[in-house]
Amino acid sequence: MFLFILKRLILLVPVFFVVSVVVFLIIHLVPGNPIDNLMRAGSSSAQRVQIAAKYGLDRSLAEQYFVWMSRLVTGDLGTSIIQGRPVGALIAQNLPYSLQLGGAALLFSALTGITAGVVAASFHGTRLDDGISGLILLGSTVPSFWLGLLLILIFAVWLGWVPISGARGWTSLILPVIAAGVGGIALVARVTRIAMIETARQDFVMLLHAKGLSPLVIQLRHVLRHALVPVVTILALRIGWILGGTVTIEYVFARPGLGSLLIRALNQRDYPLVQACLLMLAMAVILGTLIGDIVQAAMDPRQRQARS
Amino acid sequence: MLLTVEKLEIAFGVFSPVDDVTFSIDRGEILGIVGESGSGKSLTATAIMGLLSRIGGQIVAGRICFDGAELVALPERQLRRYRGGRIALITQNPMTSLDAMMRVGPQIDQAARLHLGLDRCAARTRSLELMADLRIPDPALVYGLYPHQLSGGMKQRIVIAMALAGDPELLVADEPTTALDVTVQAQIIQILVELVKRRGLAMILITHDMGVVAQTCDRVAVMYCGRVIEQAQVNAIFEDARHPYTQALIRCIPRRTMTRGSMQPIPGMVPNVADQPIGCRYNPRCPRVADNCLTEIPGLRIDTGDHGVACHMADVA
Ligand SMILES: Nc1ncnc2c1ncn2[C@@H]1O[C@H](COP(=O)(O)OP(=O)(O)O)[C@@H](O)[C@H]1O
Ligand code: SF4
Ligand SMILES: [Mg+2]
């Protein structure tokens, strides 16, 4: 198991370089550049050249990549061209908001989704199952920004229970978490429900019933344990989403966050900032998958042995 | 009688894959149930365990009477006290019968803790004893292993230990060795029968191996297409089989005196549940078929010697 993790971690190094090249090329090959965003109307082309030279934009792509990467490996993410502040500081400022919202939303969708899935699967084929499955379907089709606006209208504007927007205090987190989490609930609940129903059909479950165990114990202690393996996989895939997946919610609730930072930087072609954000998001997704694999292997004794 | 099954009929929607099963078994007895695959043996076992609703089936007629209690009428909550505690099940495939994510020892403990009220520690001690009884080498080590770390034969011993853990009076063993390697089959049957005898348990041994029946069972019920068509003491079945199907089954047993090619399979096929012949269900394959065989289903008639047979022509020949 330890060797398995070590191998996967070492494998991350080449992956990191490949991803960095892709990220670098994507942003440099799309039309537009940061200089347009810095120039005031009527500036001379001499000024353009001067600015380009200042940020190294006049050099070849290969050189620029090399400069970026050599700084990156020393931990220097560079300086934002448009905002003029270190990229590291900008990210550090926005990251906590994203982690808060994304983490809480993921936790919320995991707990609610698993619960809904367990209840639906345990009452498989009854009206309760139909009801939950219907709600799940509904939840998965509602766009999160629309849900966010609806929640604001009801709970902030009409009822006045929570702040309309911003990121001050934990109450301001409630609505964004719900709006961002609902899509995840649907996904988690669906996977949990199907996995539990499939597991419940297996021979060993019949034998557990033959021992006289109560259905509740069988569902929670045995069937759910098996069903959680695929659930962990999809939850892990969403770890990357924590960092960048809540952009629309950040917009609707006027919250700071990595998503908003990235979108703004993209519009302004702020190369160093975009590169750092994208690279971080990509690595978060890859790490998430790795964590998922490790947790899955730790949960399932068959895999644990196969990977040791 | 410890268990009496009478005119049991099991339905899935409009189909009744089991529609006339009658047999009984006393304490200390081993009853063999034989019959080709699809004849309703497993469904009968599932019905005795009260687990038909789990697979979408239903008992629509008949009685299952265990130690004076009518199980068919019993609510689920009370049935659970019988399951594992008084009647235990051993299933066919040990590869899929254990929870792959749980160590095997605690899986044995479960029934003892539930039905005997033992705590974790006492249950473990009991499980280890059971494992030793089943001749599992180094029980303390095996106790902590996961199912995938055990061979098929070992897994089946664990399944047997699980069944015995709740101290049941009746074991229902549904083809307990069919999925195993031929070399360990005899060994597992031997261990199982020895334990059952030593503890004075009753066992229903479902099998399609007449050889096993001859060696281990006290009584036999022969099933065909969802019906018990003959039942008797083992020696009566082998010396005086009265149903043409039973006679054919016995002819199929490979004997040492026979050469390989001389084994006679029963001609014809088992009919589909949805497409049963009218009259006796064996009539398309029966060499003695008469007129009323094509119109009337023969019922099981039990004579004074406790030998029951369901065939119109049983007394004729
Ligand atoms: N879950 C089920 N749903 C519908 N029909 C079933 C089910 N299980 C068994 N049957 C039907 O009942 C018949 C007898 O099955 P079974 O008791 O498993 O036979 P055996 O154990 O003697 O091989 C099968 O041929 C099948 O058509
Ligand atoms: S009832 Fe008729 S068809 Fe059926 S087994 Fe007897 S002789 Fe054959
Ligand atoms: Mg069967």
Side-chain angles (χ1 to χ4, degrees), chain A residues 17 28 52 60 69 89 120 140 173 193 214 238 243 264 275:
Chain A
F17 283 104
H28 280 85
S60 74
M69 190 42 65
S140 63
L173 202 57
R193 177 177 172 275
S214 80
R238 282 177 93 80
L243 298 182
R264 190 157 8 101
Q275 282 162 200

Side-chain angles (χ1 to χ4, degrees), chain A residues 17-18 54 68 71 73 89 106 113 144 150 161 184 186-187 190 222 231 240 263 265 292 300:
Chain A
F17 283 104
V18 172
K54 180 177 167 194
W68 176 55
R71 286 205 189 128
V73 293
L106 188 67
S144 59
L150 190 74
W161 290 352
L187 188 67
R190 244 193 334 242
H222 295 273
V231 174
I263 298 291
D300 188 338

Side-chain angles (χ1 to χ4, degrees), chain B:
Chain B
M1 283 292 157
L2 180 62
L3 176 83
T4 307
V5 176
E6 220 177 278
K7 295 202 181 307
L8 182 69
E9 179 176 348
I10 297 169
F12 288 83
V14 294
F15 298 122
S16 294
V18 166
D19 76 357
D20 186 2
V21 166
T22 299
F23 61 79
S24 57
I25 176 171
D26 215 343
R27 287 176 203 277
E29 231 181 10
I30 298 182
L31 169 79
I33 297 186
V34 290
E36 278 159 299
S37 151
S39 55
K41 305 182 298 291
S42 296
L43 286 181
T44 304
T46 311
I48 294 169
M49 295 306 297
L51 290 170
L52 270 180
S53 61
R54 297 265 150 226
I55 54 171
Q58 203 183 351
I59 296 175
V60 288
R63 308 193 315 135
I64 299 175
C65 189
F66 180 83
D67 198 17
E70 183 55 62
L71 297 191
V72 176
L74 229 48
E76 172 69 18
R77 187 173 285 276
Q78 284 182 44
L79 261 182
R80 281 218 304 271
R81 278 213 295 271
Y82 283 86
R83 266 182 227 144
R86 303 193 63 188
I87 311 175
L89 180 68
I90 297 169
T91 42
Q92 184 169 350
N93 191 349
M95 308 303 157
T96 55
S97 296
L98 295 167
D99 186 339
M101 290 175 80
M102 191 174 174
R103 293 175 199 279
V104 295
Q107 299 193 48
I108 304 174
D109 296 352
Q110 281 177 319
R113 296 179 62 179
L114 187 70
H115 297 287
L116 308 180
L118 301 183
D119 62 17
R120 190 181 298 260
C121 190
R124 182 173 188 274
T125 311
R126 190 181 146 80
S127 297
L128 290 176
E129 280 167 19
L130 268 174
M131 290 164 82
D133 272 353
L134 287 163
R135 288 188 238 140
I136 294 174
D138 202 350
L141 173 83
V142 175
Y143 185 93
L145 295 180
Y146 286 96
H148 72 270
Q149 294 168 302
L150 299 174
S151 68
M154 272 310 147
K155 271 190 263 208
Q156 193 62 320
R157 289 178 211 217
I158 300 291
V159 172
I160 295 171
M162 269 178 5
L164 292 170
D167 208 8
E169 294 144 75
L170 173 66
L171 277 184
V172 181
D174 187 359
E175 307 200 26
T177 59
T178 309
L180 297 179
D181 213 57
V182 185
T183 50
V184 295
Q185 286 189 356
Q187 194 188 11
I188 296 286
I189 285 283
Q190 191 198 343
I191 293 175
L192 181 62
V193 168
E194 195 183 292
L195 231 81
V196 164
K197 289 278 178 212
R198 179 140 47 90
R199 294 173 174 235
L201 306 181
M203 174 160 79
I204 296 174
L205 180 63
I206 297 174
T207 173
H208 49 233
D209 185 340
M210 283 302 259
V212 168
V213 170
Q215 282 160 19
T216 59
C217 297
D218 303 305
R219 293 171 53 75
V220 196
V222 182
M223 283 185 70
Y224 187 77
C225 288
R227 309 172 75 92
V228 169
I229 50 101
E230 181 156 15
Q231 57 156 305
Q233 300 294 326
V234 163
N235 45 8
I237 283 282
F238 282 96
E239 285 154 21
D240 181 26
R242 296 181 192 162
H243 196 285
Y245 177 65
T246 316
Q247 291 165 353
L249 271 186
I250 290 168
R251 274 198 304 275
C252 285
I253 305 173
R255 274 169 232 266
R256 254 170 307 168
T257 52
M258 283 182 171
T259 52
R260 243 167 180 273
S262 67
M263 224 180 91
Q264 289 173 263
I266 305 174
M269 298 269 293
V270 184
N272 192 292
V273 187
D275 187 24
Q276 298 284 10
I278 299 166
C280 175
R281 288 182 179 173
Y282 192 56
N283 67 29
R285 299 166 81 180
C286 183
R288 281 160 57 185
V289 57
D291 283 350
N292 56 343
C293 300
L294 301 175
T295 51
E296 243 177 278
I297 300 184
L300 191 73
R301 280 170 297 128
I302 302 176
D303 71 8
T304 46
D306 202 22
H307 189 146
V309 59
C311 171
H312 294 307
M313 309 298 286
D315 304 324
V316 178

